[in-house]
């Protein structure tokens, strides 16, 4: 099975900061990598699909990049409503796998 | 607007079977463009995919849970279901149902179908305790 390593596990940043999260796959997954935001007490929400495609209605400050085994997720200018846990997710061989999550807090 | 809503008992005794229903509105589970899936999240933990079902009734399960999981659907009611048998305290979690958008990729190895979870239910906490 493909393992997903997401880092950091937690992150503290200031409003307006640029924030980057990484996700590394144990094998080449092409660009089949998605990113989700989970606010406290809520269901996850799709932000980015296929590594770099912004889901409809998602603010443009969110972006994704990468292919193969190494992927990044970026918030260009952190807003208060971005406080959440972020997960990467891949699909391979009939199995969906999530990263461990990155908890983002305001400094 | 597609909406998913989980329902079922919130408290299950150890060794019994956990049963949940996901009711879909605003879209048909008979559509061939989607899978329908269950995911769970233990308190303070990450997301664990349980399994999925297609409109044909074809299923795929997480190997770690496969021996205890059954997912089924009722297209006439626009619902799909989760049954998890022989539960223990380790199965205490928030259970989500979600829609998976199927995406076809044409590669040198042929067609690869991936997907992402584009609509989620609000989640329901199921506690396993005597």
């Amino acid at each position: 099975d493909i393992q997903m390593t997401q880092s950091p596990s937690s992150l503290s940043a200031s409003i307006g900061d640029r924030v980057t999260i990484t996700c590394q796959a144990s094998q080449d997954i092409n660009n089949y990598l998605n990113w989700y935001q989970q606010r406290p007490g809520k269901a996850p929400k799709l932000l980015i699909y296929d590594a770099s495609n912004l889901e409809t209605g998602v603010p443009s400050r969110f972006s994704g990049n990468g292919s193969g085994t190494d992927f990044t997720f970026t918030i260009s200018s952190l807003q208060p409503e971005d406080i959440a846990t972020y997960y990467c997710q891949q699909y391979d061989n009939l199995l969906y796998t999530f990263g461990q999550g990155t908890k983002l807090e305001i400094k | 607007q597609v909406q998913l809503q989980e329902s079922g008992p919130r408290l299950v005794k150890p060794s019994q079977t956990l049963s949940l229903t996901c009711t879909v509105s605003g879209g048909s589970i008979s559509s061939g463009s989607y899978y329908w899936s269950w995911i769970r999240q233990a308190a303070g933990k990450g997301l664990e995919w349980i399994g999925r079902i297609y409109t044909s009734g074809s299923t795929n399960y997480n190997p770690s849970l496969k021996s205890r999981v059954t997912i089924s659907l009722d297209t006439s009611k626009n619902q799909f279901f989760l049954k998890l048998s022989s539960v223990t305290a380790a199965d205490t979690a928030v259970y989500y149902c979600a829609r998976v958008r199927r995406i076809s990729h044409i590669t040198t190895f042929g067609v690869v179908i991936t997907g992402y979870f584009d609509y989620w239910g609000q989640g329901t906490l199921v506690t396993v305790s005597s």
Side-chain angles (χ1 to χ4, degrees):
Chain A
D1 297 345
I2 294 179
Q3 305 303 315
M4 306 301 295
T5 303
Q6 189 175 336
S7 62
S9 58
S10 63
L11 177 57
S12 183
S14 300
I15 298 301
D17 279 357
R18 183 181 183 87
V19 171
T20 298
I21 298 169
T22 65
C23 194
Q24 186 171 59
S26 58
Q27 300 175 40
D28 187 339
I29 58 171
N30 203 315
N31 67 332
Y32 308 147
L33 192 285
N34 310 310
W35 292 95
Y36 301 84
Q37 175 193 66
Q38 186 178 32
R39 294 187 173 119
K42 300 295 186 181
K45 173 187 175 183
L46 175 69
L47 299 180
I48 303 285
Y49 64 93
D50 287 349
S52 60
N53 295 294
L54 195 66
E55 174 69 341
T56 302
V58 173
S60 59
R61 65 179 180 275
F62 296 102
S63 65
N65 207 345
S67 185
T69 61
D70 296 303
F71 301 85
T72 58
F73 170 82
T74 299
I75 306 173
S76 61
S77 178
L78 186 65
Q79 301 301 303
E81 61 267 30
D82 299 337
I83 298 312
T85 300
Y86 293 85
Y87 293 93
C88 60
Q89 172 254 316
Q90 70 88 30
Y91 171 77
D92 175 75
N93 197 26
L94 303 177
L95 179 64
Y96 299 90
T97 308
F98 292 90
Q100 304 94 322
T102 297
K103 186 174 183 179
L104 180 55
E105 298 174 327
I106 298 292
K107 190 182 293 182
Chain B
Q1 176 77 345
V2 175
Q3 293 186 323
L4 294 87
Q5 178 68 57
E6 304 90 350
S7 60
R10 307 299 172 90
L11 181 64
V12 181
K13 289 183 167 51
S15 79
Q16 294 190 344
T17 296
L18 179 160
S19 297
L20 293 175
T21 298
C22 183
T23 301
V24 179
S25 58
S28 172
I29 66 169
S30 297
S31 170
S33 298
Y34 309 105
Y35 295 111
W36 304 92
S37 203
W38 290 95
I39 299 115
R40 71 180 183 178
Q41 185 173 36
K45 303 296 184 181
L47 299 161
E48 180 180 33
W49 177 70
I50 300 171
R52 72 179 188 191
I53 190 164
Y54 191 51
T55 182
S56 64
S58 170
T59 54
N60 299 103
Y61 302 127
N62 189 323
S64 68
L65 297 168
K66 187 175 183 178
S67 63
R68 299 193 291 131
V69 174
T70 302
I71 297 175
S72 58
L73 58 77
D74 184 337
T75 55
S76 67
K77 294 182 178 179
N78 225 32
Q79 294 175 326
F80 63 105
F81 312 98
L82 170 69
K83 290 189 183 299
L84 181 66
S85 64
S86 305
V87 297
T88 69
D91 295 310
T92 295
V94 174
Y95 285 76
Y96 295 100
C97 58
R99 189 180 83 169
V100 183
R101 191 185 307 168
R102 298 172 76 238
I103 303 295
S104 296
H105 304 270
I106 299 174
T107 75
T108 55
F109 303 103
V111 176
V112 174
I113 299 178
T114 65
Y116 41 89
F117 303 95
D118 61 351
Y119 284 95
W120 296 66
Q122 65 185 25
T124 187
L125 174 61
V126 179
T127 300
V128 178
S129 175
S130 55

